[in-house]
């Protein structure tokens, strides 16, 4: 260990706020598995962030466990990645509070996600929703993460994390590593099947726009059959003018490993019906082992418990080291 070069560290989180989508699988999780050799990877289920919007407790519990199982089924080996639940590592709440005191009202007010979410949840604009970015900063800074894989919608949160870390370091010296957002080169950007100008999202108003990775094959096939295309009846990659067809091609390219040229040739002279059926089937086949493996793990709760307990223990060791430094810097008495 000692003479091994220190690997760069990655931390990311996904909220267990809904079922995992094909978009988050192809755009993110699928690529995470490949990072484990090169980086020291921490993946967190951000359940504390999830309660900034009211949840049904039993659903949150079920989704958290399902998401953990799905991560593993997607290839995140718990021996090679630290998989843990945010609320199991108290240092997140503890550093979150400290960072609240180094985060300004004005900067939190400018966060676009806060503005969006308060418009959507006008009856529950709680303080947690407002200070969400300082908790997220704590998530990242506790692990001294170098890189934070996130989607475009979270870049502003990584920016404010850097601002908070720089502010803190400016006062107390080099306590925190300044993280960079990391947008993996490979990831596909999967669009909604029914409004392909928008990203595929679990908050899509049209349930047919979004495919979930654990969905039943017949539902997946139906959604692809209904996918929006255009009136040209020609399978050709042109995201500008043919966003629906291009999105389906993009998905098919990932599931089959074929190039756009090869796909165009494969469907030359065919109608969209054949094409959409083929894409749907390729997705079903790609997801089948993931769904089966997830179901198998969900029937073995003891195994999953072992994974998240071990993950929390490893995570806490790193997190508590950072928290200890911070407590000392701000002037708390050592216990
Ligand atoms: N806010 C992120 C999202 O909604 C989830 C998240 C919480 C996160 N903590 C994080 C992502 C730390 C990256 C790093 O997608």
């Amino acid at each position: 260990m000692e003479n091994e070069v220190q690997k760069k560290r990655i931390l990311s989180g996904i909220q267990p706020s809904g079922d995992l989508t094909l978009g988050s699988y192809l755009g993110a999780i699928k690529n995470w598995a490949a990072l484990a050799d090169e980086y020291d990877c921490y993946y967190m289920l951000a359940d504390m962030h999830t309660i900034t919007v009211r949840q049904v407790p039993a659903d949150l519990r079920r989704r958290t466990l399902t998401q953990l199982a799905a991560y593993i089924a997607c290839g995140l080996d718990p021996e090679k990645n630290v998989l843990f639940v945010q609320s199991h590592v108290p240092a997140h709440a503890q550093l979150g509070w400290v960072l609240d005191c180094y985060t300004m009202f004005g900067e939190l007010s400018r966060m676009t996600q806060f503005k969006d979410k308060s418009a959507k949840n006008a009856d529950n604009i709680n303080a947690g929703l407002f200070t969400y970015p300082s908790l997220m900063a704590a998530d990242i800074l506790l692990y001294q993460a170098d890189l934070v894989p996130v989607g475009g919608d979270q870049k502003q949160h990584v920016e404010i994390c850097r601002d908070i870390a720089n502010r803190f370091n400016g006062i107390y010296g080099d306590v925190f590593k300044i993280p960079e957002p990391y947008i993996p080169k490979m990831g596909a950007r999967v669009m909604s099947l029914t409004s392909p100008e928008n990203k595929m999202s679990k908050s899509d108003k049209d349930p047919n726009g979004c495919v979930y990775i654990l969905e039943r094959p017949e539902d997946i096939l139906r959604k692809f059959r209904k996918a929006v295309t255009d009136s040209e009846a020609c399978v050709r990659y042109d995201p500008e003018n043919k966003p629906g067809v291009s999105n389906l091609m993009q998905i098919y390219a990932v599931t089959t490993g074929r190039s756009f040229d090869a796909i165009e040739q494969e469907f030359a002279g065919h109608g969209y019906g054949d094409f959409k059926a083929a894409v749907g089937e390729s997705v079903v086949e790609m997801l089948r082992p993931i769904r089966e493996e997830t179901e198998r793990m969900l029937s073995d709760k003891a195994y999953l418990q072992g994974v998240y307990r071990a993950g929390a223990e490893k995570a806490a060791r790193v997190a508590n080291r950072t928290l200890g430094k911070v407590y000392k810097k701000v002037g708390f008495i050592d216990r």
Side-chain angles (χ1 to χ4, degrees), residues 11-15 17 32 44-47 49 86 92 113 117 132 135-140 147-151 153-154 157-158 202:
L11 177 126
S12 196
I14 296 193
Q15 290 194 45
S17 56
W32 290 356
M44 174 188 81
L45 295 146
D47 57 346
H49 279 104
Q86 186 182 28
H92 291 255
Q113 183 179 289
K117 287 200 178 171
Y132 180 116
L135 178 60
M136 180 158 158
D139 299 338
I140 298 167
L147 300 172
V148 184
V150 281
D153 62 321
Q154 294 296 318
H157 285 154
V158 181
K202 56 195 166 195

Side-chain angles (χ1 to χ4, degrees), residues 212-324:
Y212 297 97
I213 68 168
L214 302 178
E215 217 169 349
R216 295 185 316 174
E218 54 269 39
D219 292 330
I220 297 177
L221 292 173
R222 179 177 42 79
K223 289 181 180 181
F224 276 97
R225 239 182 283 125
K226 289 192 172 168
V228 166
T229 47
D230 51 59
S231 55
E232 195 194 19
C234 172
V235 175
R236 179 167 59 78
Y237 191 73
D238 179 354
E240 189 108 347
N241 300 304
K242 296 165 71 70
V245 169
S246 303
N247 183 41
L248 294 172
M249 286 180 74
Q250 172 90 253
I251 294 170
Y252 196 59
V254 181
T255 55
T256 62
R258 290 175 205 160
S259 67
F260 292 147
D261 277 350
I263 299 170
E264 286 175 11
Q265 274 165 30
E266 181 179 351
F267 294 100
H270 288 258
Y272 285 153
D274 289 352
F275 173 54
K276 292 199 280 189
V279 181
E281 273 153 31
S282 74
V283 170
V284 167
E285 289 318 311
M286 173 186 66
L287 295 179
R288 185 188 306 282
I290 294 177
R291 179 171 43 86
E292 288 173 356
E293 181 67 4
T294 303
E295 281 165 6
R296 198 188 58 68
M297 277 185 277
L298 283 173
S299 64
D300 186 357
K301 296 279 185 316
Y303 169 73
L304 290 173
Q305 199 172 62
V307 169
Y308 64 65
R309 283 188 178 160
E313 221 171 280
K314 286 187 226 164
R317 255 199 307 274
V318 178
N320 286 334
R321 210 173 306 138
T322 305
L323 183 70

Side-chain angles (χ1 to χ4, degrees), residues 10-24:
I10 278 188
L11 177 126
S12 196
I14 296 193
Q15 290 194 45
S17 56
D19 298 326
L20 290 173
T21 69
L22 178 66
S24 49

